[in-house]
Amino acid sequence: VQLQASGGGLVQAGGSLRLSCAASGRALSNYNMGWFRQAPGKQREFVAAITWSGGSTNYADSVEDRFTVSRDNAKNTMYLQMNSLKPEDTAVYYCAADRHILVLATTPRSYDYWGQGTQVTVSS
């Protein structure tokens, strides 16, 4: 499966963005999906994940209650709605797919396929 992340940009603190992750090559419903981010000089970190059916989600503590992950398997697309953005949310955001759907993983090494990343910059 090939993944394409989009929707990043420059936004002021307190603003909102919606990221999309479009899949091609194979049905997205075959995978659990995740969002990760990487700021300059830092390791890639978990943001949010959603099971193949959309029935369960998981969030990093730092984004809980501000971000919402969702998916539309009919459109082969996953989303990340980001509200109340903070400067510390600035990073390149990556979407990823995990073939092992029994466990909703939160570590990057658990994911098999990655998109190219989209830059999110939050100004103060």
Side-chain angles (χ1 to χ4, degrees):
V1 64
Q2 292 79 45
L3 304 175
Q4 178 80 30
S6 62
L10 173 63
V11 64
Q12 289 188 333
S16 298
L17 282 175
R18 189 196 198 200
L19 305 184
S20 297
C21 177
S24 60
R26 199 159 183 237
L28 202 64
S29 56
N30 289 291
Y31 307 93
N32 289 346
M33 299 293 295
W35 286 101
F36 294 81
R37 66 187 182 186
Q38 189 165 17
K42 294 188 177 182
Q43 290 188 335
R44 192 167 296 189
E45 65 174 3
F46 169 73
V47 175
I50 186 167
T51 53
W52 66 273
S53 66
S56 183
T57 58
N58 195 358
Y59 296 92
D61 290 344
S62 59
V63 307
E64 186 85 60
D65 298 326
R66 298 189 298 123
F67 291 9
T68 302
V69 60
S70 62
R71 64 192 297 161
D72 185 340
N73 286 340
K75 294 183 178 179
N76 244 21
T77 304
M78 174 181 66
Y79 306 97
L80 185 68
Q81 178 66 44
M82 305 186 296
N83 298 329
S84 302
L85 282 161
K86 304 175 180 180
E88 52 263 45
D89 294 318
T90 295
V92 177
Y93 282 70
Y94 299 88
C95 59
D98 181 5
R99 297 173 295 162
H100 306 95
I101 61 174
L102 294 182
V103 176
L104 188 57
T106 60
T107 56
R109 65 176 181 271
S110 297
Y111 285 77
D112 305 294
Y113 306 99
W114 291 83
Q116 87 290 358
T118 184
Q119 176 71 47
V120 172
T121 303
V122 185
S123 63
S124 56

